[in-house]
Amino acid sequence: MSEAIVPSDNLFSAETYFATQPPPPSLDHDTSRVREFIQRHAKEGKKVVLVTSGGTTVPLELNVVRFLDNFSAGTRGATSAEYFLKAGYAVIFMHRQFSLQPFSRHYSHSTHPFLDFLDVSPEDTDGHEVSVTASERPQLLEVLTAYKDAHQQGTLHTLTFVTVNDYLWLLRAVSQEMAVLGRNALFYLAAAVSDFFLPRQKMSVHKIQSGKGSLHIEMDQVPKILKPLVEVWTRGGFIVSFKLETDQELLIPKARGALARYGHQVVIGNELHRRKYEVVFVSKQHEKAVTESSEDPDPSSQYEESWIRIDLDKDPNKEIEEEINKSCNGIWVNHL
Amino acid sequence: MSEAIVPSDNLFSAETYFATQPPPPSLDHDTSRVREFIQRHAKEGKKVVLVTSGGTTVPLELNVVRFLDNFSAGTRGATSAEYFLKAGYAVIFMHRQFSLQPFSRHYSHSTHPFLDFLDVSPEDTDGHEVSVTASERPQLLEVLTAYKDAHQQGTLHTLTFVTVNDYLWLLRAVSQEMAVLGRNALFYLAAAVSDFFLPRQKMSVHKIQSGKGSLHIEMDQVPKILKPLVEVWTRGGFIVSFKLETDQELLIPKARGALARYGHQVVIGNELHRRKYEVVFVSKQHEKAVTESSEDPDPSSQYEESWIRIDLDKDPNKEIEEEINKSCNGIWVNHL
């Protein structure tokens, strides 16, 4: 790998990125396993959804002690994956190591530890027994049954990443494999992917020492991966991306900007503090509607927005991902 | 809070740090709960160990989307806490949110998910039942029994932090409360604490936008908190700190440097890739030994090192924390 091919202006195209940054060691193994999964479902004419979930890291050292990370527990992706399975799709769940996963997400060790609802019964002739607290049994039975079903039917395939480099290589490989699905492929890109990275050529080998005063970091932009995904890797796949902002005012303009730039189908916008009860679907208007209003000088009329809001005061157990998935399914089926 | 008191040379003393950086909102609540725990055990003359565990984050934005993090799953701290409980101490487990915890660490959702060893029995007159796979029952019974015991006896108190700021404020508060324990206090500082931070006065309010080319970050040094911990906050507490390095050659010199600078009792050095089977205890020699060799011009003779190594090929289930805890207990008891 030559340093000469790293662009001097810090702007990596996807092509330069993959030519200069090394693939993760497990890529070939992961790719061949996901290929089997996709081809099995392609044969049956089944729809396959790729859900990406959790944050990506940017290591600062080759022997990594410190890294930049993106805020995400993986709730959106893990919850959505469950609803996609429930709707009858096969799901590739590509997630950050240790982020939430479908099914086990109900039993976070921090908020709902399973050890709390297991009881040790007094010793009888067979020794002590472990039993489940009665009040927890109905939910556990439901989760456990859905979990066992997904495993028995082979409808859930899990892949993990840690760094943004893992993520980019894996996304490319999986989407290239998904090309055989044609229009039966849905990309649901909920992972919180870093916009910046540190090229391998600029990383320090060992832990950065703190004796030398303040720490300076300069990072390059991660290539906009949606562009080759839409234009090259997929064949008619339906692509839903996410925009997370902390400034509500930026949601719609940034979502429209992404649709204009990449030409995919839907951006789901969410504001950091409202994301559990409010999101907005932004998409291009149907072509007919655009033609009718083509005299309209306002380019914003090309886009339509549709808000989803739920009332957590009324129904605290409601999950907004249920509504997001219904809308996704509706738009996708309309599009086919 | 005035910008004027933030030091212009990026070097914060602990005093300046606490005068300029805001406390976490839950600090008072956390402090009063830990006070009750400490005073209950102080009355009984029980020894109390503070275990810190997991990495700390450095948020880049006030509405935090991105943050710098330190590599740590929290294995060392969570495992050690279990062995301290087993040895009869009361334990304050102060850990990074979502890092591993004592007991539940055996059932990581990624590597050993509990849903995999629960079975749904066929429906009988009472409906379906949940049972534990026979092969998993012995270990689960052991873990569950120790977990329930710690809860029933009130010997484990858990506190969580996320940012390095949370950590610093919480460590100060807890160690000040632990002063009533006198020499019955052990500090086991296994958390991977960031050496750098971004003062609140320099943080951007919203998510940093990626449209503007590369990302530049400049961070200040975190004050060396061991200094006031040793000199001011504690009253005779025994302090064990950790040094993680990726360059094996730096372990001993950095550990000695820390002992010389802060004047505490033990530094446990560990190299990133060898830490599961090899650590080194570095401490000052007993005063008698130092006096005898006081003619020796080599300052390194003031220190003694003792290596702990285990053989994971021979005994793959052995945990090095068991040996670390034995050594800690031995040195501490000698010191009392």
Side-chain angles (χ1 to χ4, degrees):
Chain A
M1 216 169 300
S2 149
E3 297 225 6
I5 46 174
V6 174
S8 57
D9 59 358
N10 299 338
L11 287 172
F12 281 76
S13 67
E15 210 180 356
T16 321
Y17 184 93
F18 291 112
T20 58
Q21 305 303 308
S26 59
L27 185 68
D28 287 345
H29 172 78
D30 286 346
T31 307
S32 70
R33 285 189 56 229
V34 83
R35 182 181 305 137
E36 285 166 29
F37 180 84
I38 290 165
Q39 291 185 342
R40 178 158 49 86
H41 292 293
K43 258 183 222 154
E44 295 169 10
K46 199 163 176 129
K47 291 188 174 64
V48 178
V49 181
L50 170 67
V51 176
T52 70
S53 186
T56 62
T57 70
V58 181
L60 302 192
E61 299 123 344
L62 287 176
N63 286 290
V64 52
V65 173
R66 301 193 180 90
F67 52 90
L68 196 77
D69 203 345
N70 271 49
F71 167 80
S72 172
T75 311
R76 182 79 87 214
T79 309
S80 298
E82 262 182 52
Y83 286 106
F84 279 124
L85 286 167
K86 212 172 182 176
Y89 304 125
V91 171
I92 300 165
F93 185 68
M94 180 178 142
H95 78 114
R96 160 75 173 274
Q97 189 187 26
F98 306 130
S99 71
L100 292 178
Q101 294 185 57
F103 309 115
S104 65
R105 72 180 175 97
H106 299 281
Y107 300 102
S108 153
H109 291 311
S110 299
T111 56
H112 192 196
F114 83 103
L115 290 174
D116 275 358
F117 58 77
L118 294 183
D119 303 311
V120 181
S121 68
E123 200 161 10
D124 64 14
T125 45
D126 294 333
H128 292 290
E129 253 313 337
V130 176
S131 64
V132 178
T133 309
S135 60
E136 293 281 349
R137 232 172 280 168
Q139 197 207 1
L140 181 60
L141 266 173
E142 196 186 322
V143 172
L144 197 55
T145 305
Y147 177 78
K148 304 265 175 202
D149 281 356
H151 279 259
Q152 271 154 23
Q153 294 167 22
T155 47
L156 175 62
H157 183 79
T158 301
L159 288 165
T160 64
F161 58 84
V162 176
T163 66
V164 65
N165 188 56
D166 299 343
Y167 171 87
L168 293 171
W169 279 97
L170 211 46
L171 180 63
R172 184 173 81 155
V174 173
S175 59
Q176 285 171 340
E177 295 300 330
M178 287 174 75
V180 301
L181 294 159
R183 297 169 78 90
N184 274 345
L186 173 64
F187 295 81
Y188 187 86
L189 306 174
V193 182
S194 176
D195 293 314
F196 303 102
F197 81 112
L198 199 59
R200 197 162 174 97
Q201 292 77 1
K202 291 187 184 176
M203 283 166 73
S204 82
V205 174
H206 285 297
K207 184 180 174 187
I208 301 165
Q209 294 298 322
S210 67
K212 294 160 190 159
S214 59
L215 175 74
H216 291 258
I217 308 168
E218 189 192 340
M219 291 195 181
D220 295 359
Q221 268 193 55
V222 166
K224 302 300 182 188
I225 207 73
L226 267 173
K227 216 173 167 59
L229 175 59
V230 173
E231 292 175 2
V232 186
W233 303 335
T234 183
R235 305 253 192 291
F238 192 82
I239 299 174
V240 178
S241 73
F242 284 77
K243 268 274 172 225
L244 176 78
E245 294 293 336
T246 62
D247 181 351
Q248 180 89 358
E249 298 296 304
L250 290 179
L251 271 188
I252 306 272
K254 302 267 307 179
R256 286 178 181 172
L259 290 176
R261 196 172 312 124
Y262 309 122
H264 64 301
Q265 286 80 20
V266 178
V267 175
I268 300 180
N270 43 170
E271 194 278 321
L272 184 65
H273 303 287
R274 305 170 69 84
R275 71 191 191 286
K276 303 268 182 198
Y277 58 87
E278 182 184 282
V279 303
V280 59
F281 275 60
V282 184
S283 55
K284 286 208 173 150
Q285 279 195 6
H286 298 297
E287 281 175 36
K288 187 170 164 289
V290 175
T291 314
E292 273 169 5
S293 65
S294 61
E295 303 293 301
D296 191 334
D298 176 11
S300 70
S301 66
Q302 292 185 310
Y303 300 99
E304 54 190 358
E305 285 108 38
S306 149
W307 290 87
I308 294 180
R309 293 187 182 92
I310 60 169
D311 188 342
L312 290 175
D313 289 332
K314 265 195 198 151
D315 186 356
N317 293 320
K318 176 80 180 175
E319 296 179 314
I320 194 168
E321 287 79 8
E322 186 176 358
E323 298 306 314
I324 295 176
N325 280 46
K326 272 187 209 160
S327 294
C328 266
N329 296 345
I331 303 175
W332 187 21
V333 169
N334 261 338
H335 180 86
L336 287 176
Chain B
M1 218 169 300
S2 148
E3 296 225 8
I5 44 174
V6 175
S8 57
D9 59 358
N10 299 337
L11 287 173
F12 281 76
S13 68
E15 208 180 358
T16 320
Y17 184 93
F18 291 112
T20 58
Q21 305 304 308
S26 59
L27 185 67
D28 288 345
H29 172 78
D30 287 345
T31 307
S32 70
R33 284 189 56 230
V34 85
R35 183 180 304 139
E36 286 167 29
F37 180 84
I38 290 166
Q39 291 185 341
R40 178 156 51 84
H41 292 293
K43 258 184 222 154
E44 295 169 10
K46 199 166 177 122
K47 292 190 174 60
V48 178
V49 181
L50 170 67
V51 176
T52 70
S53 185
T56 63
T57 70
V58 181
L60 302 192
E61 299 123 342
L62 287 176
N63 287 289
V64 52
V65 174
R66 299 194 182 89
F67 53 90
L68 196 77
D69 203 344
N70 270 48
F71 168 81
S72 172
T75 310
R76 183 80 86 213
T79 309
S80 298
E82 262 182 51
Y83 285 106
F84 280 123
L85 286 166
K86 215 172 179 175
Y89 303 124
V91 171
I92 301 165
F93 184 68
M94 180 176 142
H95 77 117
R96 160 74 173 278
Q97 188 187 27
F98 305 129
S99 71
L100 292 178
Q101 294 185 56
F103 309 115
S104 66
R105 72 182 175 98
H106 299 280
Y107 300 103
S108 151
H109 290 312
S110 299
T111 55
H112 192 194
F114 83 105
L115 289 174
D116 275 358
F117 58 77
L118 294 183
D119 303 311
V120 181
S121 68
E123 200 159 11
D124 65 11
T125 46
D126 294 332
H128 292 290
E129 253 313 339
V130 176
S131 64
V132 178
T133 308
S135 61
E136 293 281 350
R137 233 173 278 166
Q139 196 206 1
L140 181 60
L141 266 173
E142 196 187 322
V143 172
L144 198 54
T145 305
Y147 177 78
K148 303 266 173 200
D149 281 355
H151 279 260
Q152 271 155 23
Q153 294 166 22
T155 47
L156 174 62
H157 184 79
T158 300
L159 288 165
T160 64
F161 58 83
V162 177
T163 67
V164 65
N165 188 56
D166 299 343
Y167 170 87
L168 293 170
W169 279 96
L170 212 46
L171 180 64
R172 184 173 81 154
V174 173
S175 57
Q176 286 170 340
E177 295 300 330
M178 286 175 74
V180 300
L181 294 160
R183 296 168 77 90
N184 275 343
L186 173 65
F187 296 81
Y188 186 85
L189 307 174
V193 183
S194 176
D195 292 313
F196 304 101
F197 81 111
L198 200 58
R200 199 164 173 95
Q201 292 78 1
K202 291 186 182 177
M203 284 166 72
S204 84
V205 174
H206 285 298
K207 184 181 174 187
I208 301 165
Q209 294 297 320
S210 66
K212 294 159 190 159
S214 59
L215 175 74
H216 291 259
I217 309 168
E218 189 192 340
M219 290 195 182
D220 295 359
Q221 268 194 56
V222 166
K224 301 301 181 188
I225 207 74
L226 268 174
K227 216 174 167 60
L229 176 59
V230 173
E231 292 174 2
V232 187
W233 302 336
T234 184
R235 304 253 193 290
F238 191 82
I239 300 174
V240 179
S241 73
F242 284 78
K243 268 275 172 225
L244 176 79
E245 294 293 338
T246 62
D247 182 352
Q248 180 90 355
E249 298 295 305
L250 290 179
L251 272 189
I252 307 270
K254 303 268 306 179
R256 287 178 181 171
L259 290 176
R261 197 172 311 125
Y262 310 123
H264 63 302
Q265 286 79 19
V266 178
V267 175
I268 300 179
N270 44 169
E271 193 278 323
L272 183 66
H273 303 288
R274 306 170 69 84
R275 69 193 193 285
K276 304 268 183 198
Y277 57 86
E278 182 184 281
V279 304
V280 58
F281 274 59
V282 183
S283 55
K284 286 206 174 149
Q285 280 195 2
H286 297 299
E287 281 175 36
K288 186 168 163 290
V290 174
T291 313
E292 275 169 6
S293 65
S294 61
E295 302 294 302
D296 191 335
D298 177 10
S300 70
S301 67
Q302 294 185 310
Y303 300 99
E304 55 189 358
E305 285 108 38
S306 148
W307 289 87
I308 294 179
R309 293 188 182 92
I310 61 169
D311 188 342
L312 289 175
D313 289 332
K314 266 197 197 150
D315 186 358
N317 293 322
K318 176 80 179 175
E319 295 179 315
I320 195 169
E321 288 78 8
E322 187 177 356
E323 298 305 314
I324 295 176
N325 279 49
K326 273 186 208 158
S327 293
C328 267
N329 295 346
I331 303 175
W332 187 20
V333 169
N334 261 339
H335 179 86
L336 286 177

